Amino acid sequence: MAGHDAAHSGTVDGPAPPYRVAWELAGQDAPVTGVAATDETVVALSSEGVLALDASDGTVLWERGRPAGPVGVPGIAGDLVIHARDDRVSGQVVARDLQTGDLVWQASIGGAAVGGPTISGETVIVGTFAGEVIALDLADGAERWRFETLGGVAGAPAVADDVVVAAAYQGTTGRSTVYALDLTGGSEDGAIWQHATGPIGPPSGPAIGDGVAYIGFSDLRVRAFDLQEGSERWTFSSRAEFGPRQIPAAGQALLVADASHLYRLDPASGVERWSWLLANLSAVTDSRADTLLASAPAISGSTVMLGNARGEVSAIDVDSGRRVWRRDLGDGAIGPIAVTSDRVYAVTLGDAGRLIALEHDPAGALVDEVSPTVLFVGEGISNYLVAAAAVGLAIWLLFRFALRPRVVESS
Amino acid sequence: VTAKRKRRRNRSSSRGATETVEPEALESEEAPPERPTRPMMAESPFPPLGVSLAQGLRVVGSSPPILAVAFLSLLATWGVFVALGTEPSPRTLAVLLSAPPVHVFSDAPIAIPRDASATFSVGAVAGLAALRGVTFGLLSLLIVDALRGGTASLTTAVRALPRTALVFAGLYLVQFGLVLAAFQLLVGLLGELAFLAIAAGLYFLAFSPIVAAAEGQGSAPAVRRGARAARLPGTRHLTMVMAYFLVLYYSGAVAPFPVLGPATPSVGVWAYGLISTFIHVSVLAAFAYRWLLVRDQVPAIAPPRPKR
């Protein structure tokens, strides 16, 4: 599921870089969002289908149809695959048997769950674009409770310590509201707490770690809230806005991505440990800019992985902040990355979308790259001297042989 | 005097290196009395846009001292930005030395960042005022010197710098306050159209630093006299302001570098910033050229308004 687990730790003891391609899937079966994966099976949602693949070689185990519509990252819980479905009239959450793909149950949720389901214990939580957070029973899909939000919920809710955190965004007013809801008791008495900002752009998805909820807001701030009380612990100024697919990874380290940078923050204070410029916001195509908005950081062992809209995936050492591996996976923005114990699954979105399964490559080469956000003063000044000499000489020579300026005589 | 004859006169006068130019303002005084009386319809005392810009480019491009000071000013400003905690992006580097008061808009986010303490902001504004006072003071003195005497004397400019730098620093603070106040006001009223505050600030305050450097006047008189010069009849000042504003506004769209770049500028990024700086300083020189031509029509003390 999005963020790997209910709290969105984004953390798996996965393979270390460098990586090589184990197998890949392209064509009409290519996924349109991130995949859910176990060590044995990978579940992907293609433009009009749901398919399960053998994790070892990518063989299709089963495939089922689905109406073409927006979906989020699917989730796997035991023998069930949970995914959202939207026929543009009424949205549903669907549970399928992981081995056969047979329908186990489906529940109407009345809107598109574009963030995908979050599974916590025996409960499935979804947020809908229609403006509701809905809790369903994992066993039979029975509705436990639903809570109306101010604006649509586009990111997957996060759950920890029996608290559901969801971020809603109202496009007409630009207002973002974060809700903390009781997982077990429902929401009859209203939210445990809520925090509103605006008018700004959409927020990121939420993540929870050690009793603190983390969310990126498009007023260029990451905010940390006490999970139980809702008090603001700290804020961090980001360099760009956020999108709902961007879910912070709140594991041992806190890793947050905005549209252009990946940051490692101190979970207790919000102080930046390092940052990486991974997308420069320039135009990739007429309709797509180079951003990180389609992806979310995934931690595999001691490295964090993230892809940009140019199709490049990077692995950065969490401790040092140095890039240790990168690979261009071709056209299309990189979507959410999934990690298992021996595989990393990256998807490229769009018409030429692909699912690429990566595995550790013992013979591969690592790189050691410093973040572009680190300033080297000496190098900067020497570059200046070269440029100033060249530009100055060129201008002077140009005007040396052009007309001299006129002198103005004024009283 | 017909427009064609005037253009011919301008062209022929620009051929001589040290030839004296008759200010067009004086020519306009000879114009027939039946000319339009509305300020925007009246003939402008300023030379045409092309003539002014060409003169600005020539003054800056042919003067090694002005070029050197402009380029070093860019490096110094970059250094101050870095010291204040922000490495300028390639596009910011290209507007660091934009003509006053436009550079206030690149300075303000650095001096007054979100979450910054009042102590930091006061110190940052003071530091930037000192920097802008020295760099633009020196540049303006050199430009005025070059326009008046044909060559820019660094010795003369440095001698006059302490007083001018102080005036420029004061002027910077006035511009900082005025432009930010206008911007804040327009953000509330006009939202996305608040960038018009830049154009308005440039329109009214473009001559102020030149007046301070050329006339040795203090900040407040320079602002007043500069604003009066801006309001002289005709549309040529407005045309030049809008042309410069559009260049600034659209320069980002044609920039050869992405919105965000590495913190360490490459040779190419510096070259882009230096060429942009050359253009900005040339625009400043164009304003100086225009001021020297009309200064006699803008007395130090405002004439009393005619009674109706």
Side-chain angles (χ1 to χ4, degrees):
Chain A
M1 75 187 88
H4 180 66
D5 51 33
H8 295 166
S9 72
T11 306
V12 178
D13 188 17
Y19 303 108
R20 65 187 174 201
V21 176
W23 53 264
E24 68 175 80
L25 178 73
Q28 63 179 15
D29 286 337
V32 293
T33 184
V35 301
T38 66
D39 286 347
E40 294 79 30
T41 311
V42 181
V43 176
L45 301 178
S46 63
S47 58
E48 294 187 0
V50 184
L51 62 159
L53 309 162
D54 187 329
S56 61
D57 58 7
T59 307
V60 176
L61 301 175
W62 53 259
E63 184 167 8
R64 298 287 183 271
R66 75 170 184 90
V71 289
V73 180
I76 297 175
D79 290 334
L80 291 179
V81 175
I82 312 293
H83 68 86
R85 194 167 71 177
D86 181 57
D87 55 8
R88 299 182 193 276
V89 177
S90 64
Q92 296 102 35
V93 174
V94 174
R96 296 182 183 278
D97 186 286
L98 180 60
Q99 304 304 320
T100 64
D102 293 342
L103 187 70
V104 177
W105 55 258
Q106 63 179 339
S108 178
I109 54 172
V114 292
T118 299
I119 304 161
S120 174
E122 296 303 311
T123 310
V124 178
I125 310 289
V126 289
T128 71
F129 222 56
E132 285 182 310
V133 178
I134 300 163
L136 306 170
D137 192 294
L138 177 64
D140 57 9
E143 185 176 309
R144 291 185 172 175
W145 53 261
R146 65 172 63 202
F147 180 87
E148 196 173 328
T149 58
L150 190 66
V153 179
V159 185
D161 302 333
D162 286 344
V163 177
V164 178
V165 177
Y169 172 66
Q170 193 175 37
T172 51
T173 62
R175 189 179 174 89
S176 296
T177 311
V178 182
Y179 297 91
L181 308 170
D182 184 0
L183 174 67
T184 54
S187 49
E188 290 164 0
D189 299 330
I192 301 171
W193 55 264
Q194 63 187 63
H195 178 94
T197 60
I200 51 174
S204 75
I208 302 171
D210 288 335
V212 181
Y214 306 100
I215 299 179
F217 290 86
S218 288
D219 61 350
L220 308 187
R221 279 186 169 87
V222 179
R223 291 184 171 86
F225 301 100
D226 184 282
L227 186 60
Q228 301 299 335
E229 298 172 0
S231 56
E232 196 173 283
R233 292 263 184 102
W234 50 256
T235 63
F236 166 77
S237 292
S238 67
R239 295 176 175 88
E241 73 277 20
F242 295 87
R245 286 182 179 172
Q246 294 186 294
I247 297 172
Q252 292 290 321
L254 174 60
L255 290 139
V256 184
D258 63 20
S260 57
H261 288 76
L262 172 66
Y263 310 90
R264 183 188 171 183
L265 306 179
D266 179 10
S269 63
V271 172
E272 180 184 311
R273 295 286 178 81
W274 52 256
S275 64
W276 249 93
L277 174 64
L278 289 172
N280 59 28
L281 308 183
S282 59
V284 179
T285 64
D286 288 344
S287 60
R288 177 159 47 98
D290 182 19
T291 70
L292 305 172
L293 292 174
S295 192
I299 301 171
S300 175
S302 61
T303 57
V304 54
M305 304 193 66
L306 191 62
N308 60 24
R310 281 182 283 115
E312 183 185 66
V313 173
S314 295
I316 295 164
D317 186 84
V318 172
D319 290 328
S320 67
R322 286 172 173 259
R323 180 153 65 182
V324 294
W325 180 85
R326 65 185 160 114
R327 181 160 182 157
D328 187 352
L329 295 181
D331 292 337
I334 303 292
I337 293 171
V339 182
T340 63
S341 63
D342 60 350
R343 291 275 197 276
V344 172
Y345 298 99
V347 296
T348 60
L349 307 175
D351 295 338
R354 292 185 300 156
L355 164 60
I356 300 111
L358 302 167
E359 62 184 359
H360 175 68
D361 181 7
L366 292 171
V367 296
D368 182 18
E369 295 176 352
V370 180
S371 169
T373 56
V374 176
L375 172 66
F376 296 98
V377 176
E379 186 185 336
I381 291 175
S382 61
N383 287 345
Y384 165 85
L385 291 174
V386 173
V391 173
L393 190 64
I395 292 174
W396 185 74
L397 285 175
L398 183 69
F399 284 89
R400 178 76 179 82
F401 297 105
L403 291 174
R404 299 282 296 172
R406 289 176 286 172
V407 176
V408 178
E409 280 190 1
S410 55
S411 56
Chain B
V1 181
T2 64
K4 196 181 280 183
R5 207 177 284 170
K6 253 187 283 171
R7 277 201 295 276
R8 208 176 294 145
R9 187 180 293 183
N10 280 336
R11 243 180 262 135
S12 64
S13 62
S14 66
R15 288 188 192 119
T18 56
E19 194 176 346
T20 302
V21 178
E22 286 295 327
E24 288 193 23
L26 298 179
E27 293 174 17
S28 66
E29 286 173 5
E30 300 165 10
E34 62 269 24
R35 63 184 172 170
T37 52
R38 281 193 294 174
M40 283 299 173
M41 301 285 285
E43 194 172 354
S44 175
F46 296 115
L49 175 67
V51 172
S52 305
L53 287 178
Q55 182 71 353
L57 287 165
R58 278 200 299 263
V59 163
V60 177
S62 60
S63 170
I66 298 176
L67 272 181
V69 170
F71 287 2
L72 287 172
S73 297
L74 181 68
L75 180 66
T77 310
W78 174 81
V80 170
F81 270 49
V82 168
L84 291 174
T86 301
E87 296 88 13
S89 68
R91 294 183 185 191
T92 307
L93 200 67
V95 296
L96 275 192
L97 255 69
S98 47
V102 179
H103 55 56
V104 166
F105 286 92
S106 58
D107 293 358
I110 310 302
I112 314 174
R114 295 174 303 155
D115 307 328
S117 66
T119 312
F120 173 87
S121 291
V122 169
V125 171
L128 285 166
L131 172 79
R132 298 300 195 180
V134 171
T135 54
F136 277 96
L138 196 53
L139 278 170
S140 300
L141 286 168
L142 286 168
I143 287 168
V144 169
D145 199 19
L147 281 167
R148 278 178 169 159
T151 55
S153 166
L154 199 56
T155 315
T156 312
V158 167
R159 209 172 288 143
L161 181 62
R163 187 186 178 281
T164 308
L166 270 178
V167 173
F168 267 62
L171 205 53
Y172 176 83
L173 294 175
V174 171
Q175 291 173 340
F176 199 96
L178 284 177
V179 171
L180 279 193
F183 193 76
Q184 291 294 330
L185 184 69
L186 291 177
V187 162
L189 292 175
L190 300 176
E192 293 295 314
L193 293 177
F195 63 83
L196 289 174
I198 303 176
L202 188 61
Y203 180 82
F204 287 109
L205 302 174
F207 287 117
S208 305
I210 299 302
V211 174
E215 315 301 333
Q217 291 192 303
S219 306
V223 168
R224 284 197 295 270
R225 205 172 170 193
R228 283 211 304 280
R231 293 171 60 210
L232 284 172
T235 57
R236 283 181 178 169
H237 179 58
L238 180 66
T239 305
M240 186 149 133
V241 164
M242 291 313 293
Y244 183 51
F245 174 72
L246 289 175
V247 167
L248 285 170
Y249 192 72
Y250 288 107
S251 60
V254 297
F257 300 98
V259 177
L260 299 172
T264 308
S266 65
V267 173
V269 168
W270 273 122
Y272 174 59
L274 289 164
I275 292 168
S276 302
T277 296
F278 167 63
I279 293 168
H280 294 310
V281 177
S282 298
V283 170
L284 184 68
F287 281 122
Y289 173 64
R290 284 186 161 192
W291 166 255
L292 292 176
L293 289 179
V294 303
R295 61 184 292 275
D296 294 339
Q297 297 179 53
V298 189
I301 300 166
R305 289 186 180 185
K307 289 180 183 174
R308 290 185 178 180

